Amino acid sequence: MNEDRAYDEAHSAAILLASEIKRRRHQAELSQPQLARRIGYTRQYVSLAERPGHNLPSLGIVKAIDEELGAGGQLLALREQAHRERQARRNRPDASAGPQTPISHADTAGTDPLGGVPLLSGLASSDIPDLLGHLREQWHLLVKTDNLFGPRFALSSVHEHLRLVMSIARSARGLVRREVVTLAAQYAESAAWLHEDAGETSLAERWTDRAMEWSHEADDRLMLAWTLFRRSQQATTNRDPARVIGMAHAAHREGPALPPSMRAAITQQEAHGYALDGDARAAQRTLDKAHEWAVSDTTGDARGGHGSFCTAGYLELQRASCWLTLGQPRKAVELYDRVLPILPAVYRRDRGIALGRFALASAAVGEPERAARLAGEALDIARSSGSVRTENELRAVANALTRYDTLPSVAAFRAKLTFNGDL
């Protein structure tokens, strides 16, 4: 009887913690995926935190949930109490007599700054190169996953690998740590892009900040230039041409030290700033310049370095987008017609965004049925990949097609978009 009571007491705070997280989430009218996106974790981590009897959730995720749900430290206090109770139970000489509770590595080893993954203990400096080599290879695979399937399938893995990298960083010193932090910056920048594509602007900016911080720590000038490129891209979404151009110029400061793929990417990004500013001549001249550094990449795994997506075809799709921004949709239609059929299959997510813009240009030149068909294809890719950015742009297509509602294809597209609550 005493053993049963001790077992119940050892679990009381853990059970209260799980139920309180769930209660507060419901009170905030958030689903598990919504809360996960807000705190920068995956839905699975939130689900496990709400599961009584499972391993105690890490300090990092409980702190993030506590802050997001305005718990005022109550969730953190419950976790601390649950941690003390479990430690006390493990220290009992007769602990094996009662039901067994899985030991949480988060309790015994601490957690990395991002939470969710235990620190890798017992690492020697000689172990780290092999670990980093594996994680670099995984980064290339995740880039390809993003290009094919989008943030829905790549984002959680990027976060999980980031936690592993930072776990290694806690054991690294000197030049070895700089190497680890360089890889952390690379993963953080990928997280920024994936959150941006998933429509999570604040998280995208937060991860760009992390990438920039780690780039500075590692003194990685190329990675720092790439984070400035990402800042420029985020400014495009906010339609801030001065910032787009300014960040692109800052990214260019490394000049000839930048590999061709990065120079192409940064230069085409600068062209978008000129298009937003209404300067067609500067936009087109800058895109012509970007072609000098165009690369050939049909694998989509960035083994050629950052910006290796900047093929000649990709740059022409960006030219079409600039023409659309400049209010010349017919020129955009001509380019989309010519370039989209030759876009490598691996860039499926990019195909979705280009199809959406092609649809908008088609609507603008008075081709509503074609616009509806293209928009429907783009919507399928957007929803299967989790590209909220693409889906948001398709609302403009739906609005442009309002006067053609009597056409069956247009009505079908608008209904399809409305079905998910987008209109």
Side-chain angles (χ1 to χ4, degrees):
M1 185 70 177
N2 289 338
E3 290 175 354
D4 291 341
R5 184 167 58 252
Y7 178 74
D8 290 341
E9 289 173 354
H11 280 66
S12 60
I15 291 173
L16 282 173
L17 173 63
S19 63
E20 184 65 5
I21 290 173
K22 187 173 184 178
R23 185 189 71 78
R24 285 181 176 274
R25 177 175 62 78
H26 285 166
Q27 188 177 54
E29 298 182 345
L30 294 173
S31 66
Q32 287 183 347
Q34 287 171 330
L35 177 58
R37 286 194 295 270
R38 289 192 179 193
I39 64 174
Y41 285 76
T42 64
R43 182 198 64 78
Q44 287 82 359
Y45 281 115
V46 174
S47 175
L48 291 175
E50 294 182 355
R51 191 177 302 171
H54 193 269
N55 291 349
L56 199 61
S58 73
L59 182 61
I61 190 171
V62 174
K63 183 176 185 295
I65 294 173
D66 191 286
E67 291 175 354
E68 182 63 36
L69 299 182
Q74 292 182 26
L75 299 180
L76 285 169
L78 278 173
R79 188 201 180 276
E80 176 60 26
Q81 182 182 346
H83 174 49
R84 287 197 303 268
E85 290 175 347
R86 290 193 173 192
Q87 289 294 90
R89 170 156 176 76
R90 291 187 194 115
N91 292 333
R92 287 171 54 91
D94 60 344
S96 61
Q100 297 298 298
T101 303
I103 296 177
S104 168
H105 293 292
D107 292 339
T108 59
T111 57
D112 68 341
L114 302 178
V117 168
L119 287 175
L120 299 174
S121 59
L123 279 182
S125 295
S126 58
D127 297 330
I128 292 178
D130 284 342
L131 297 175
L132 293 186
H134 173 75
L135 289 168
R136 287 192 192 96
E137 183 65 23
Q138 291 300 305
W139 180 81
H140 288 296
L141 294 175
L142 287 168
V143 169
K144 189 164 187 174
T145 297
D146 172 42
N147 282 321
L148 281 168
F149 303 110
R152 173 168 294 164
F153 298 93
L155 192 49
S156 61
S157 293
V158 165
H159 278 295
E160 288 162 7
H161 285 76
L162 251 172
R163 293 182 183 102
L164 284 173
V165 176
M166 291 312 297
S167 292
I168 296 170
R170 292 287 293 274
S171 300
R173 299 292 184 272
L175 292 176
V176 175
R177 178 175 168 84
R178 281 180 59 178
E179 189 177 356
V180 177
V181 172
T182 294
L183 185 59
Q186 190 170 319
Y187 267 102
E189 191 280 327
S190 292
W193 158 245
L194 289 166
H195 279 297
E196 183 181 340
D197 196 29
E200 297 158 349
T201 304
S202 61
L203 286 173
E205 292 175 349
R206 186 187 308 174
W207 282 111
T208 305
D209 286 342
R210 283 288 187 96
M212 195 169 288
E213 174 190 331
W214 288 329
S215 298
H216 275 297
E217 180 183 345
D219 196 23
D220 186 336
R221 308 304 298 175
L222 295 184
M223 193 65 226
L224 183 58
W226 195 244
T227 62
L228 291 167
F229 159 81
R230 186 64 65 205
R231 278 277 182 252
S232 179
Q233 190 174 56
Q234 291 162 359
T236 305
T237 303
N238 296 328
R239 303 189 71 79
D240 184 348
R243 186 167 171 79
V244 173
I245 297 166
M247 290 292 101
H249 285 173
H252 266 306
R253 283 179 190 146
E254 295 302 313
L258 296 170
S261 58
M262 285 182 66
R263 297 184 81 175
I266 295 166
T267 303
Q268 64 82 31
Q269 182 56 40
E270 181 182 350
H272 283 287
Y274 294 129
L276 282 170
D277 224 14
D279 190 339
R281 178 174 295 180
Q284 298 307 312
R285 184 174 63 245
T286 305
L287 283 164
D288 290 343
K289 186 73 174 175
H291 270 281
E292 295 180 16
W293 300 298
V295 295
S296 177
D297 179 19
T298 58
T299 58
D301 57 11
R303 292 189 187 278
H306 287 295
S308 58
F309 53 81
C310 274
T311 63
Y314 176 86
L315 292 174
E316 287 306 287
L317 289 177
Q318 301 316 300
R319 192 187 300 274
S321 182
C322 285
W323 280 128
L324 191 56
T325 300
L326 288 160
Q328 298 196 46
R330 193 161 298 281
K331 290 184 177 180
V333 166
E334 292 170 359
L335 277 170
Y336 284 126
D337 245 338
R338 187 168 74 248
V339 180
L340 260 175
I342 60 173
L343 184 69
V346 71
Y347 293 108
R348 176 174 174 271
R349 198 267 328 285
D350 282 346
R351 181 179 298 277
I353 196 76
L355 283 168
R357 292 172 184 174
F358 191 2
L360 186 58
S362 297
V365 299
E367 299 180 4
E369 292 187 306
R370 186 186 203 186
R373 176 179 58 79
L374 293 167
E377 292 177 29
L379 185 58
D380 287 340
I381 294 174
R383 287 186 172 163
S384 67
S385 66
S387 178
V388 175
R389 176 182 65 131
T390 303
E391 195 158 351
N392 285 342
E393 290 195 11
L394 289 171
R395 292 172 183 159
V397 180
N399 291 334
L401 293 175
T402 301
R403 60 193 176 120
Y404 300 107
D405 262 353
T406 55
L407 294 174
S409 58
V410 171
F413 162 66
R414 286 173 56 81
K416 188 176 183 179
L417 191 61
T418 305
F419 181 73
N420 207 41
D422 289 295
L423 286 177

